[in-house]
Amino acid sequence: MDVSTSLGPIQLKNPVIAASGTAGYGLEPAVVTDLDLLGGVILKSVTLEPRKGNPCPRIWETSSGMLNSVGLENMGVRALVEEVLPALEGCGFKVVASIAGETRDEYARIASILEGAPVLDAIEVNVSCPNVERGGLQFGSDPVTAAGVVKAVCQSVSLPVFAKLSVAASDMAAVAEAVASSGATGLSLVNTIPGMAIDARRRRPRLGGVTGGLSGPAIKPVALKAVWDCYRATGLPVIGGGGIHDVDDVLEFLVAGASAVSIGTACFLDPWRLLGIVEALPAALEEVGALSAGELVGSLRI
Ligand code: RRO
């Protein structure tokens, strides 16, 4: 069974990618699991300068999901280039750096620092973080602003650029179309969905950052529709994810139009989950009568 896939110019040995923010900088999970078996890893989003992130608690479990309010804690792009990327040299997975900024120029500066860095295969432009005051979702909700950021990044790097979008945008397909026409190679869908949890007795928010981003099985139907809508609107390669828990979920995202899938929250329950899904993929594809992973992409029959 051919489980390989492609994201525009990038060839992946399989479609399973660790989602940004859930596999650190691609080095930490090696303590418990073998990321080399994955198609790719999207590193934690980095900013121009390091950030401390939001106050604790930063995680709250909900029914069928999880809220996070990490607040973009990260080491900064220079530390990523100097300390992390050299250590990833020789790894068996495709490496995608994720970037976030407060202004369009800041995104462009971060991208230009990444240009020419070792091991990088692509850049994810995160214009959909729900947990920052400036940039983040503000940028990704507006087609013109999102397109401006993506264009500035594309002008600063020769690497393929994937725009990470949120369903919190009022017209997500319009944002997808706008970033497509400003040079994005592909889309990364979806970021977590803004939400909150409250302790009524104490009349306090459960998260230190007050609000957070919802992920996990609760958002899977929403994410599937986003992939389907944006794939149809743009025809761009899509990294699809949101609540993927098992190999059947992976097949659903491929049929909706994703060429690869990003999985994160499931790994908090079980760090070996990604490897289990990679192992289960050939038999699962065979069971639905597919000869390859690629054949399933966007194959929804209406
Ligand atoms: O760090 C975070 O709080 C965070 C980010 Br940058 C993001 O893009 N999505 C998310 O759920 N959390």
Side-chain angles (χ1 to χ4, degrees):
M1 177 64 67
D2 177 12
V3 296
S4 69
T5 188
S6 60
L7 287 167
I10 311 165
Q11 302 301 314
L12 277 73
K13 61 178 180 286
N14 65 63
V16 180
I17 297 178
S20 180
T22 63
Y25 299 107
L27 298 166
E28 303 88 327
V31 178
V32 287
T33 192
D34 186 3
L35 293 183
D36 274 348
L37 298 172
L38 303 183
V41 174
I42 307 177
L43 311 181
K44 172 68 183 168
S45 297
V46 289
T47 47
L48 193 55
E49 302 301 334
R51 281 175 59 104
K52 288 203 164 83
N54 284 342
C56 291
R58 291 172 165 187
I59 300 280
W60 183 257
E61 191 172 350
T62 65
S63 48
S64 301
M66 182 186 103
L67 284 162
N68 87 80
S69 179
V70 173
L72 202 39
E73 177 183 350
N74 77 92
M75 60 170 55
V77 64
R78 291 181 195 86
L80 185 82
V81 169
E82 283 156 26
E83 293 158 31
V84 173
L85 297 182
L88 284 172
E89 206 125 26
C91 69
F93 48 84
K94 298 293 176 187
V95 180
V96 182
S98 177
I99 66 172
E102 294 189 357
T103 64
R104 190 180 60 181
D105 288 351
E106 205 171 287
Y107 276 94
R109 277 187 71 193
I110 301 166
S112 57
I113 293 171
L114 290 171
E115 174 67 355
V119 309
L120 273 189
D121 294 290
I123 293 189
E124 179 187 83
V125 181
N126 185 351
V127 281
S128 48
C129 174
N131 298 328
V132 288
E133 274 173 25
R134 288 180 295 277
L137 250 182
Q138 244 181 7
F139 283 2
S141 300
D142 176 48
V144 176
T145 319
V149 170
V150 167
K151 189 170 180 191
V153 171
C154 289
Q155 285 169 344
S156 308
V157 281
S158 50
L159 290 163
V161 169
F162 289 77
K164 179 135 190 191
L165 306 181
S166 169
V167 296
S170 61
D171 186 348
M172 191 184 191
V175 178
E177 282 174 317
V179 298
S181 42
S182 39
T185 310
L187 305 170
S188 179
L189 314 172
V190 297
N191 210 321
T192 56
I193 301 174
M196 71 190 297
I198 288 175
D199 177 347
R201 271 167 215 240
R202 294 170 55 238
R203 303 184 190 196
R204 304 265 300 165
R206 298 284 191 185
L207 292 167
V210 184
T211 61
L214 182 66
S215 59
I219 75 165
K220 194 186 92 176
V222 180
L224 271 175
K225 179 179 181 296
V227 168
W228 166 237
D229 284 345
C230 294
Y231 172 73
R232 271 191 311 169
T234 66
L236 286 185
V238 173
I239 303 169
I244 295 179
H245 228 65
D246 58 26
V247 75
D248 286 341
D249 294 334
V250 172
L251 301 187
E252 290 173 28
F253 274 87
L254 297 181
V255 171
S259 298
V261 294
S262 56
I263 310 178
T265 304
C267 306
F268 288 99
L269 282 177
D270 170 9
W272 296 278
R273 181 66 59 98
L274 291 183
L275 305 189
I277 289 175
V278 170
E279 264 173 36
L281 196 55
L285 286 167
E286 200 172 328
E287 203 195 313
V288 296
L291 298 174
S292 68
E295 182 196 315
L296 222 52
V297 175
S299 62
L300 188 71
R301 299 173 186 144
I302 303 280

